[in-house]
Amino acid sequence: MPTPLLTLQGINKSFGPIDVLHDINLEVYPGEVLCLLGDNGAGKSTLIRLLSGVHKPTSGTITLAGKPAAFASPRDASNAGIATVHQFGGTFPLMSIGRSFFVGEEPKKGWGPFKTFDRKTANDIAVKAVRDLGITRITDGDRLVGGLSGGERQALAIARAVHFGASVLILDEPTAALGVKEAAHVLRIVLQARQKGIAVIFITHNVVHALTVGDHFAVLIKGAKAADFRKGEKTREEITDLMAGGEQMAELEAEIKSYMSNHPG
Amino acid sequence: MSDSSPKLSFGSLLRRPETGSFLGLAAVFLFFTIFGGSNFASLNGAASWLNVAASLGIIAIPIGLLMIAGELDISIGSMVPAGSMTCAIISGHFGLPIAVGVVAALCLGALVGLVNGLLVVRTAVPSFIVTLGTLFAVAGLTLGLSVLITGTTSVSIKAGPEAKFLLGHFIGGIYQVTILWWIAAAIFWGFVLHYSPYGNWILAMGGDKVSARNAGIPTERVTIFLFMCSSMSAAFVGLSQAILYNSAQVSAGQSYIFNAIISVVVGGVLLTGGYGSVVGIVLGTLTFAIVNQGIYYTPFDANWASLIIGVLLLVAVLMNNTFRKMALSYTPSRKVK
């Protein structure tokens, strides 16, 4: 077993009197996909924000590549190699692909105060990075991000993270807003990132998607880690039940069934 | 639209925020050339709208950049008279060198902009409300201090020949020298927004401030900088008018608020930020000035000008929306429907 790239030890987070996360322990390995599962309000988003430097844990330690990591800002986290891609991917709909790809890291040419944004280089790199991920429909770096499909935007955002050397890639519900085909595209890109040796944290509540790409699964319930298992150790039904909080899902299904049979039509 | 042009250039044309405003300007210019006759198109006619456009344009460009960055500054309405009164009181009333008055007015602009920017960044109150507050605060301060210091609301100022030459003379007897300052401002801001890396920051901030900050853009500093620039530009216009007309009044700037916003929006800047161009703002300003002044060259009553401007604004916004949608859906491989 290789050493984990990212380790969470005894992480607690509370906002004032409200405990959001208790005693979370997690290990993320390079070249593996960790699926973080949980219902709405389970604390997934808070956990991501801790990792991406938006919040600081109330207690507990985050270790990145063997060194304790305390991120003061999202910038800190991304400098350390942790990249977060949110549900809608590129969030600058009216910027061109090339420009949005390099926001904050603009390639420059020229000298002194007359340094200019190198549009051509930016466009070429951005288009190549996206095409390397298998999105061949993108050929023109001047196109506006808002004109891309949801999957293409996700691909663009992931390509950006990979290009800037992310070692940990956090994907926050990347497939939630996508159709079946687009979601499959994104899942393939996730596997490509994994192949490059990137540690991927994949947040979802779609169990099928999680099972497709995940090597390692963690289920959050009400801010605590309810289960931690590896691929093949649990079936889809077991995971669904876990996420919904035990047996409730089966009960709910039975309830619906009896309701349907009692109320035909 | 020219379907005969190569597909790629058609797409890049659509993506330019100023495409709509260029068509608008062409239409307005044509309209007034037809109804205004030779007087409108003459050098004198051009001067009348260029002069209006110049002082408005110097303010409209930084306002437009603020809007692209997702903010709004309406305190400029008070900064114009505040700038001209500061300059007039220091150099006219107290008789200090004109350079001192100019520098003081610009410093006041920087200070008000700093206050605006800090308030917006620190309190997260919408910039419309913050600058509405400073609009009234600065207006009150200008009026109060002017009366306290000089006893009147109008101060005369005598500028030396150098100051007159730089800021307040008419080129060829009809064109205000501010036109040149406007051109310089347009070139400077055009470089900043479209060629320098900072332009990317401004666009990204207007697109999504949180993502921009996460990407490492110092959004707070950029916001404060832009507020300082808009206030300083307004102060600059104020002081140049004081020098041009040899006097300053406490109440001569409220019209700039809406005129600047109209120019910016007609110029294709998205009200919610993230999209726009300096060329578009310049074209929007010209369009506004032509309608505003051109009406006097037509047989129509000048009272109709506001109606035209109102309709123009709505048409421009709708047209810009259409162009933006087309730009978003346009891909080189597909034909635009």
Side-chain angles (χ1 to χ4, degrees):
Chain A
M1 199 63 164
T3 50
L5 181 61
L6 182 71
T7 316
L8 305 186
Q9 260 177 330
I11 293 286
N12 287 290
K13 177 68 189 174
S14 50
F15 294 101
I18 305 156
D19 283 332
V20 184
L21 292 173
H22 350 257
D23 196 28
I24 304 285
N25 296 296
L26 270 181
E27 289 178 341
V28 192
Y29 295 90
E32 269 197 17
V33 177
L34 167 71
C35 288
L36 202 55
L37 298 153
D39 209 354
N40 291 340
K44 288 174 301 183
S45 307
T46 308
L47 191 58
I48 300 162
R49 292 201 190 109
L50 292 181
L51 291 175
S52 58
V54 179
H55 298 319
K56 278 177 216 153
T58 311
S59 65
T61 52
I62 301 176
T63 317
L64 180 65
K67 277 174 254 160
F71 305 125
S73 68
R75 179 70 170 164
D76 254 16
S78 68
N79 281 345
I82 299 183
T84 310
V85 174
H86 294 285
Q87 190 172 343
F88 296 104
T91 40
F92 310 113
L94 290 165
M95 285 176 85
S96 73
I97 291 170
R99 276 183 176 268
S100 69
F101 195 87
F102 284 97
V103 159
E105 305 272 356
E106 292 81 5
K108 301 176 187 98
K109 62 180 181 187
W111 53 271
F114 300 106
K115 274 207 183 89
T116 56
F117 175 73
D118 190 348
R119 181 178 136 267
K120 194 179 173 303
T121 306
N123 285 357
D124 288 351
I125 294 175
V127 168
K128 187 178 178 301
V130 185
R131 291 177 68 91
D132 283 350
L133 291 181
I135 306 288
T136 47
R137 276 184 56 211
I138 294 177
T139 51
D140 179 4
D142 276 329
R143 263 179 75 185
L144 302 182
V145 173
L148 304 180
S149 72
E152 286 168 342
R153 284 199 221 181
Q154 286 289 336
L156 182 65
I158 295 171
R160 183 177 195 273
V162 172
H163 177 82
F164 288 110
S167 54
V168 179
L169 180 61
I170 303 173
L171 302 173
D172 186 4
E173 311 224 357
T175 55
L178 301 183
V180 179
K181 239 187 194 164
E182 290 253 274
H185 260 300
V186 170
L187 293 177
R188 206 186 64 220
I189 291 170
V190 170
L191 290 176
Q192 274 176 292
R194 169 178 171 266
Q195 246 164 17
K196 288 183 204 277
I198 296 172
V200 181
I201 302 177
F202 183 86
I203 291 97
T204 184
H205 43 222
N206 186 321
V207 180
V208 179
H209 290 168
L211 283 171
T212 314
V213 294
D215 298 295
H216 178 185
F217 302 82
V219 180
L220 285 184
I221 295 175
K222 289 179 185 162
K225 195 170 76 174
D228 189 339
F229 51 93
R230 298 199 59 82
K231 195 179 183 119
E233 289 177 7
K234 276 191 170 44
T235 64
R236 187 182 146 194
E237 285 73 24
E238 284 173 315
I239 300 173
T240 314
D241 287 346
L242 258 172
M243 279 172 66
E247 300 301 310
Q248 286 163 9
M249 202 61 201
E251 278 170 34
L252 192 64
E253 270 166 17
E255 239 172 71
I256 292 171
K257 230 175 230 164
S258 72
Y259 178 87
M260 292 298 274
S261 56
N262 293 339
H263 298 78
Chain B
M1 266 163 282
S2 54
D3 274 290
S4 57
S5 65
K7 279 180 178 179
L8 250 172
S9 76
F10 179 63
S12 55
L13 199 69
L14 271 183
R15 281 184 210 116
R16 290 181 163 274
E18 63 268 16
T19 307
S21 55
F22 179 75
L23 295 177
L25 176 63
V28 163
F29 188 81
L30 214 66
F31 177 85
F32 283 104
T33 309
I34 292 168
F35 288 97
S38 54
N39 278 338
F40 169 75
S42 72
L43 289 177
N44 272 311
S48 79
W49 46 266
L50 275 176
N51 289 343
V52 167
S55 44
L56 177 59
I58 291 172
I59 299 177
I61 297 174
I63 292 293
L65 262 73
L66 264 174
M67 280 168 72
I68 293 172
E71 305 290 350
L72 190 61
D73 181 5
I74 61 172
S75 69
I76 47 149
S78 297
M79 262 329 290
V80 174
S84 74
M85 282 309 280
T86 306
C87 184
I89 289 173
I90 288 177
S91 303
H93 185 72
F94 290 122
L96 289 168
I98 197 88
V100 178
V102 168
V103 170
L106 291 177
C107 286
L108 179 72
L111 181 71
V112 172
L114 183 68
V115 170
N116 279 337
L118 282 174
L119 283 174
V120 167
V121 164
R122 296 272 181 269
T123 64
V125 171
S127 50
F128 174 76
I129 302 297
V130 167
T131 56
L132 185 63
T134 49
L135 171 76
F136 278 82
V138 171
L141 265 180
T142 310
L143 181 59
L145 286 177
S146 299
V147 172
L148 200 68
I149 295 170
T150 67
T152 70
T153 56
S154 168
V155 177
S156 67
I157 172 174
K158 262 260 162 316
E162 298 90 1
K164 269 280 183 199
F165 176 77
L166 280 174
L167 293 163
H169 84 287
F170 287 94
I171 303 165
I174 48 173
Y175 297 105
Q176 283 178 21
V177 71
T178 32
I179 295 172
L180 296 181
W181 286 99
W182 181 33
I183 295 171
I187 292 171
F188 170 73
W189 287 117
F191 177 80
V192 169
L193 184 64
H194 300 296
Y195 293 99
S196 84
Y198 306 112
N200 221 29
W201 296 6
I202 294 171
L203 289 166
M205 281 168 61
D208 181 349
K209 198 149 282 177
V210 176
S211 298
R213 187 181 304 132
N214 290 353
I217 294 171
T219 53
E220 303 194 337
R221 257 186 293 155
V222 176
T223 305
I224 292 170
F225 172 77
L226 288 175
F227 272 109
M228 288 175 74
C229 287
S230 74
S231 281
M232 284 172 77
S233 302
F236 176 82
V237 168
L239 71 88
S240 69
Q241 285 184 342
I243 290 169
L244 179 71
Y245 299 119
N246 301 319
S247 82
Q249 284 82 33
V250 284
S251 59
Q254 305 293 340
S255 65
Y256 278 99
I257 303 169
F258 284 118
N259 295 357
I261 294 174
I262 292 170
S263 303
V264 168
V265 172
V266 170
V269 173
L270 185 59
L271 259 173
T272 46
Y275 193 68
S277 73
V278 171
V279 177
I281 299 168
V282 168
L283 296 177
T285 311
L286 278 173
T287 311
F288 177 85
I290 286 177
V291 176
N292 206 358
Q293 295 298 308
I295 195 88
Y296 297 110
Y297 292 90
T298 65
F300 311 125
D301 191 331
N303 297 334
W304 295 103
S306 291
L307 174 69
I308 301 181
I309 289 173
V311 172
L312 182 77
L313 178 69
L314 293 174
V315 171
V317 170
L318 291 175
M319 194 158 67
N320 289 334
N321 276 353
T322 311
F323 272 101
R324 200 159 47 241
K325 275 200 199 103
M326 284 164 80
L328 278 177
S329 60
Y330 182 83
T331 50
S333 56
R334 247 187 302 152
K335 236 185 135 52
V336 180
K337 280 155 215 127

